[in-house]
Amino acid sequence: MTRWLALTAIGLVGAVIFCGCQENTIEGCESDWDCDPPLICVDGVCRQPHDGGIDAGDDAGSGDDGGNSGDDGGDVGSDPGGDPGGDPGGDPGGDTGGDEPAPWIINPGVGVGPVTVSSSMTDFTTLAQVQGVLGETGRLANNTKYTYVFKDDTLSVTGIDVNGNQLFDGPDHIISIAVAEGLNAQTSEGIRVGSTQAQVRAAARFSSPDRAAVIPPYGEFLGGKFDSYFGLGFYVGYDSTDVCSTIIISRQYPQPPDGRINPAQGSLTFGGNTIQCGDGYQTGSRQDVHRNILGLPNWRYYFEAEVNTQYGTQDVELYDDSYRILGMEFIGGHDEVFIYNVDRLVAVSIYPFYYGETAAGHGVGSTKAEWEAELGAPINQLYDPNYGTLFIYQPSVDYKFAIMYTHDGVSSDDVATLLVLNYQEAP
């Protein structure tokens, strides 16, 4: 593989990727997974889906309370969205001069007021639909590429690039919605920005977060202290006094991002299920392995890369299954034999919110000193002007492992923000 493949694992996190999705018209599909997005399986045939997002001007969302799919191309730090399915009862974003309107409902896994998140690649909400239902264009948030803010900066949405133009525009899917101070919005239990952590956890469904931790910054995501509920699609950020400063909504996920990382084996293990990296053709897990564990990705991309094969250097088509909120990108060979997809995994990139660790207890957020106590000194380091310095380690004969640290890893106290399993060097 070229070094570009591994750097693409980084680029995907910033949505620097083109979508070369192919038209799949074969008959005999059994599920949506047998079809290339955006097609879905209808009566055994891959067809164009009906738009499952909210209609501009409708007060209600898609009606899906949390499916199995998601996104990439955006940032988890400043987005949520969802519709409780009812009329919000007025504009919650400002002072109307009379009685305060009823608050918008924050519905985990669904949305905020009339704004919903995409629940899958085929049941989605677009930026254009959000602009229509809110009645305003919004604007790109400062220093971001895939986050739009609305309602006097009290509501923001983050998206994933589905049309490959590397811009956040009308067709792109919304993967998260974020509520900030000033928006009149709350959950059915009354949890809102300004609630304390104790008040949040006093609500029965929020009593036990999947993870409670300080998450390091990465890209547009500013990091900070979060309670994360991946199964609910609900994330609460706190300030230094444990008061809620932001609430984020995403789709619901069947599995939190807590799998065991094995750099020497190039694998992730969730319970009894192992996701294995390989050469993308004869070795490596089939695509349905990680999809059966995590659900459908937020989006799937295709791109070409140059690889070393037994027949010499060749250009091959690769896929990327992007799980932006979970902090994972799965990159593998895109191969078809007759009507069957033979898509085997090559590499996995890992970034926040992922919190699984190695057997030694290291993961995203561990320091350079901690990682090198486990892996030894790097065998190489590369600098990419768009993303920073990547340190390459050799934990076993068969697998390389790459790490990106804060501040380009100049200090042993810098922390890991990106990990790449089965990193591939240039031929």
Side-chain angles (χ1 to χ4, degrees), residues 362 366-381 391-393 403 405 409 411-412:
H362 302 138
S366 295
T367 66
K368 184 180 179 186
E370 290 170 333
W371 269 114
E372 295 190 353
E374 176 177 353
L375 302 174
I379 61 172
N380 194 12
Q381 65 183 64
F391 291 81
I392 315 302
Y393 300 89
I403 303 179
Y405 299 101
S411 168
S412 60

Side-chain angles (χ1 to χ4, degrees), residues 257-408:
D258 61 355
R260 174 63 58 86
I261 303 168
N262 190 329
Q265 295 296 321
S267 66
L268 298 174
T269 301
F270 294 87
N273 300 301
T274 296
I275 300 169
Q276 181 66 56
C277 296
D279 64 13
Y281 181 64
Q282 293 181 316
T283 62
S285 297
R286 291 285 297 270
Q287 191 177 46
D288 59 2
V289 172
H290 62 258
R291 290 187 172 195
N292 286 337
I293 295 170
L294 304 170
L296 288 174
N298 298 126
W299 192 249
R300 178 171 64 177
Y301 302 92
Y302 296 102
F303 61 98
E304 289 188 352
E306 196 177 54
V307 302
N308 274 334
T309 73
Q310 58 182 321
Y311 307 107
T313 301
Q314 296 185 358
D315 288 329
V316 301
E317 187 175 44
L318 300 168
Y319 75 84
D320 166 60
D321 275 356
S322 177
Y323 297 81
R324 177 52 51 85
I325 304 298
L326 298 182
M328 285 180 280
E329 311 286 333
F330 293 87
I331 301 172
H334 179 55
D335 300 300
E336 293 182 359
V337 178
F338 299 107
I339 64 172
Y340 301 102
N341 286 331
V342 186
D343 293 347
R344 292 189 178 275
L345 185 64
V346 176
V348 183
S349 62
I350 300 169
Y351 50 90
F353 280 161
Y354 196 94
Y355 64 98
E357 297 177 335
T358 66
H362 302 138
V364 174
S366 295
T367 66
K368 184 180 179 186
E370 290 170 333
W371 269 114
E372 295 190 353
E374 176 177 353
L375 302 174
I379 61 172
N380 194 12
Q381 65 183 64
L382 306 165
Y383 180 76
D384 182 272
N386 294 315
Y387 304 104
T389 300
L390 197 64
F391 291 81
I392 315 302
Y393 300 89
Q394 183 87 57
S396 67
V397 173
D398 296 324
Y399 293 95
K400 293 185 175 68
F401 187 69
I403 303 179
M404 184 175 290
Y405 299 101
T406 54
H407 309 110
D408 287 338

